Amino acid sequence: GAAALMVLAEHTGVLKGIGSLGVWLFFCLSGFLLAAPFIKEPSRALSPRFMATYLVRRMKRILPMYYAVLAASLMFSGKTDQFIRHILFLQGDGHLWTLPQEMFFYLVLPLVVAAIYLLCRGNLLHTRQGEQGSRMAHVELSGHQEILNRRT
């Protein structure tokens, strides 16, 4: 809500210079929310069923209104070349400039998560850190136990 208000304030002239902050805020929040299911369970990026559901949900949310706006724009402008570039997400200008970036993010995020998951799932770094943490905690507790034993 706040991000949209910042952009609106910029476009209406109420607060100049705040619109780009709203856009950055929107992209950050969107990225966080879209990445949340993959952060909770990274293996989802390897599930064809989950990925199909994820992508269909994204497309259902964006494409109907986007294509309606493009069709109306084509009817009024008659610029078929621009229409085709927009349909294929090869051009993003004017009020539609964010859509190619969003589509790119929707497609790349699961691939990046899958790659990281595949590269790191056999890695013992997490386990080693956990074991090291346990050893450190044990050493700390042992040290405190020695101090307690000396006092008695």
Side-chain angles (χ1 to χ4, degrees):
L5 290 174
M6 289 177 186
V7 172
L8 186 62
E10 170 80 27
H11 284 290
T12 58
V14 174
L15 286 172
K16 291 288 184 186
I18 198 166
S20 58
L21 176 63
V23 171
W24 278 99
L25 182 60
F26 172 77
F27 278 137
C28 290
L29 291 172
S30 295
F32 172 76
L33 294 172
L34 289 169
F38 299 110
I39 292 168
K40 289 178 186 170
E41 194 176 332
S43 63
R44 287 179 171 172
L46 300 177
S47 165
R49 186 175 186 183
F50 181 82
M51 290 311 304
T53 304
Y54 166 82
L55 291 172
V56 166
R57 235 185 3 250
R58 297 289 99 217
M59 299 306 127
K60 281 183 176 180
R61 190 172 178 95
I62 290 177
L63 295 182
M65 184 57 73
Y66 180 61
Y67 286 157
V69 168
L70 289 179
S73 175
L74 174 65
M75 288 188 326
F76 290 110
S77 73
K79 296 179 180 178
T80 318
D81 57 332
Q82 284 185 2
F83 176 75
I84 292 170
R85 286 194 301 269
H86 278 288
I87 288 281
L88 298 173
F89 299 100
L90 299 174
Q91 180 176 344
D93 54 2
H95 288 62
L96 304 173
W97 72 268
T98 64
L99 273 295
Q101 284 82 9
E102 289 176 39
M103 292 304 291
F104 179 75
F105 184 79
Y106 296 153
L107 295 174
V108 169
L109 173 68
L111 297 175
V112 169
V113 172
I116 292 170
Y117 178 74
L118 288 172
L119 289 171
C120 297
R121 75 176 167 183
N123 190 345
L124 297 177
L125 179 62
H126 187 310
T127 307
R128 287 182 188 143
Q129 286 177 343
E131 288 174 5
Q132 185 179 13
S134 297
R135 276 189 242 124
M136 288 174 66
H138 178 70
V139 168
E140 263 186 49
L141 290 174
S142 301
H144 290 300
Q145 188 63 42
E146 284 180 27
I147 292 170
L148 291 173
N149 288 341
R150 286 185 206 155
R151 288 185 180 175
T152 56

